[in-house]
Amino acid sequence: MLTDTILATSIEFLKGVGPERAVLLQKELGIRTYEDLLYHFPFRYVDKTSIHKIGELNERMPFCQMIGKIGKVSLIGKGTAKRLIAQFSDDTGTIEFIWFKGIPWMQKIIHPGLEFLVFGKPSEFKGKLNIVHPEMESVTKEVNLSGKSVLQPVYPSTEKLKTKGLDSKGIAKLQRTLLEKLGEHIHEVLPEKIVRQLKMTSRTKALHEIHFPASMDNQKASENRLKFEELLFVQLKLLRQHNIRNLQIKGHVFEKVGHYVNSFYKEHMPFELTNAQKRVIKEIRQDVRSGKQMNRLLQGDVGSGKTIVALMAMLIALDNGMEACMMAPTEILATQHYHSITKFTEELNIPVKLLTGSTKKSVRREIEAGLAAGNLPIVIGTHALLENWVSFPNLGIVIIDEQHRFGVAQRSTMWQKNKIPPHVLVMTATPIPRTLAMTLYGDLDISVIDELPPGRKDIVTRHVFETKRLEVFGFIRKEIEKGRQVYVVYPLIEESETLDYNNLMEGYVAIEREFPKPKYHVSIVHGRMPAADKEYEMQRFKKGETNILVSTTVIEVGVDVPNASIMVIESAEKFGLSQLHQLRGRVGRGANQSYCILMTGYKLSEDAKIRMETMVRTNNGFEISEVDLRLRGPGDLAGTQQSGMLDLKIANLITDQRILTAARHIALEILNDDSTLSKPENQVLLDQLNHLYAGSTDWSIIS
Ligand code: ADP
Ligand code: MG
């Protein structure tokens, strides 16, 4: 195809580039080919027609453009406090520009008397207006590259590129040259029908107007078209991989629902399942008897009752003569699961063992022997389950709790434990919007428990400054008088472990002083304690023998003490949103009104303020994870998984969820109609998939 060969041309050969700039473009921006340059999009457009007068600026205005002259330039402060300050005036007023970085470079450029076109966000400091790190363009060199368009693209560039003339304008010039060269040769990669159906801008027009839009409306339409295209191919890729896996990987067939499931359901079920729990159990049952291997992600907010669903799934495996195991990220959580699962399995006479890093040799031997003899149907544990000696003769299902701590690699280790891979159920309490989850965890089907067991009271959350600690203690005292229990959690950040440890110990001492023996009992749990001591303290708290549990985040996930009604989080600003939500989820598990108290200092970053406000505003895990995603981006969430997947050029998985959902929908429609993309009208899709993901998947497998 003509375009493809042109697009693959090395950037060196584009007029105006040459060998030296080519090396720099690759090094600084990763641009190697014509195509890379074409997909180096502007991050903003400057409307040359709107210039603000300095006199009319105020700190509530967004990014503004102004023209004026540099006045006095001064360098003040030392070391990290060093900054460059310049006065900038037009005939209506003066504003101050400030640079903290790139000072030597700016000093070369700005001199008193020079005229500049400036772009920046006005803010106020001590009653004076200023702009930090404004973008400066000298007015004398000003040429309107965009011809008739008044909108000029602003491209990401770097200092090194700027010294070689490749500032935003230099890059715009290259884009012009490239677009002229490509002409009408940019071909459509979507079937005509879809372009028509969705009334989309053509690809040629979109790629032109994303760089040089005739209007902001055209820009938006082009941007949306390119985002849709990008996400559609991501979805097509995911769905096809999914189909391939379903066709290729056989799973154990669990036809029966037998003794264990029935007697548990009829005789031992402690409560009525919620409709959401019932629906998910049904989804799991359908998977495990389909002949395909189940790979399912179960999303459910903290306290939504995932454990009982996991138990049911395991019992189905047992009813079909196979074993089950359950893996949790921490020793405390594994132990907790062990206790909650054995509560049920004891009544059913099912042997269960716990395996963690600190399991004794003798018990390990029992586990090994039990598994070998085929009379140990359930093992619950930590990563220790992945050790080589742990060998299940008939592993039917693996439950993995808290998805975000385990990667794909660990999941596949569990697969390899058997010739036919076990079914896999991954559970997470950090729920994210469904389509996003499908994209981030493309290899998993998704189930959602979107309903809490009845009778739960919303936890009341308060944000309190540390200076109010005595009042908080007073409140705690009252709750303890009512018979309730309290968690006090301190952050643990690895880099300053000793410091955190000291904070924790200081806090512990202060609380013991405030809540003295013998009237009160305070216990402490932290990472430096031996596992047995941790477990001992946890059990004491669980049994109600201690009133207050002071701890680090070791209790973050999964711990279940229904009588605990207050969660105090110290230095709450140091925690991420999902962590705060997890911690809060430790209370509100019983019938009592529960409280979460977020203690912080006065000085809070904007992010931290949003986190506190969000926690106070809502108890809904989905809402919280949306805010969290906006603050942090999805990269963190997905960890190492799907890393390539997230390498998106224009779409944003968080802010473009509507487009993402539409793309998913269309991709499904296309594949339902033509699963191998072998119809003539879908040839363009297949070509583009091969172009985008060359070498990553063998599409021929399923055709
Ligand atoms: P999570 O989803 O956070 O793992 P758990 O499985 O630990 O939640 O359940 C939280 C609490 O709710 C437990 O005490 C559990 O026994 C209880 N629970 C679960 N399902 C129900 C239900 N349908 N009705 C009443 N209580 C339930
Ligand atoms: Mg849980």
Side-chain angles (χ1 to χ4, degrees), residues 436-488:
L436 178 59
M438 285 171 172
T439 306
L440 290 175
Y441 311 112
D443 54 338
L444 300 174
D445 292 308
I446 313 280
S447 287
V448 183
I449 303 185
D450 49 6
E451 179 184 2
L452 292 180
R456 290 278 167 81
K457 291 200 183 76
D458 266 359
I459 300 161
V460 173
T461 303
R462 292 274 180 273
H463 172 207
V464 176
F465 293 116
E466 279 153 4
T467 44
K468 295 273 177 72
R469 186 169 278 112
L470 283 181
E471 283 168 43
V472 172
F473 283 157
F475 181 64
I476 289 177
R477 204 167 283 123
K478 277 195 204 135
E479 281 290 299
I480 292 176
E481 265 158 34
K482 289 191 217 156
R484 303 288 102 78
Q485 288 166 282
V486 180
Y487 294 104
V488 180

Side-chain angles (χ1 to χ4, degrees), residues 3 20 74 122-123 161 167 200 219 248 251 257 297 302 392 566 588 611 624 652:
T3 343
E20 196 190 356
S74 40
S123 49
L161 282 167
D167 55 1
M200 263 187 305
Q219 189 280 337
Q248 283 195 326
V257 163
L297 174 68
V302 276
F392 293 84
I566 303 186
R611 275 180 267 139
I624 288 171
N652 177 317

Side-chain angles (χ1 to χ4, degrees), residues 19 80 96 104 114 122 151 194 208 233 290 322 356 369 382 429 489 634 701:
T80 49
E96 208 166 74
L114 287 184
L151 290 165
I194 290 175
H208 273 90
F233 283 104
S290 68
M322 301 200 77
T356 69
T382 56
V489 177
I701 295 172

Side-chain angles (χ1 to χ4, degrees), residues 271-274 277 301-307 453 456 560 589:
F271 34 65
E272 169 87 5
L273 292 175
T274 62
Q277 284 170 319
D301 209 339
V302 276
S304 63
K306 295 183 291 294
T307 315
R456 290 278 167 81
D560 192 19
R589 307 195 141 230

Side-chain angles (χ1 to χ4, degrees), residues 214-265:
S215 69
M216 278 320 278
D217 283 349
N218 286 15
Q219 189 280 337
K220 195 78 209 154
S222 303
E223 187 178 301
N224 283 344
R225 140 86 213 207
L226 294 170
K227 283 177 173 176
F228 176 84
E229 178 187 317
E230 183 166 50
L231 293 172
L232 180 76
F233 283 104
V234 167
Q235 294 303 324
L236 283 173
K237 179 184 176 209
L238 286 174
L239 288 166
R240 296 200 79 202
Q241 267 171 350
H242 198 261
N243 288 348
I244 291 171
R245 211 200 54 226
N246 274 347
L247 288 178
Q248 283 195 326
I249 302 179
K250 294 272 167 285
H252 301 288
V253 182
F254 294 165
E255 278 189 338
K256 286 199 297 239
V257 163
H259 166 73
Y260 288 130
V261 170
N262 286 332
S263 68
F264 175 68
Y265 204 87

Side-chain angles (χ1 to χ4, degrees), residues 280 283-284 296-300 434 445-449:
V280 170
E283 284 166 348
I284 292 169
R296 192 165 274 283
L297 174 68
L298 171 53
Q299 299 200 80
R434 195 182 191 94
D445 292 308
I446 313 280
S447 287
V448 183
I449 303 185

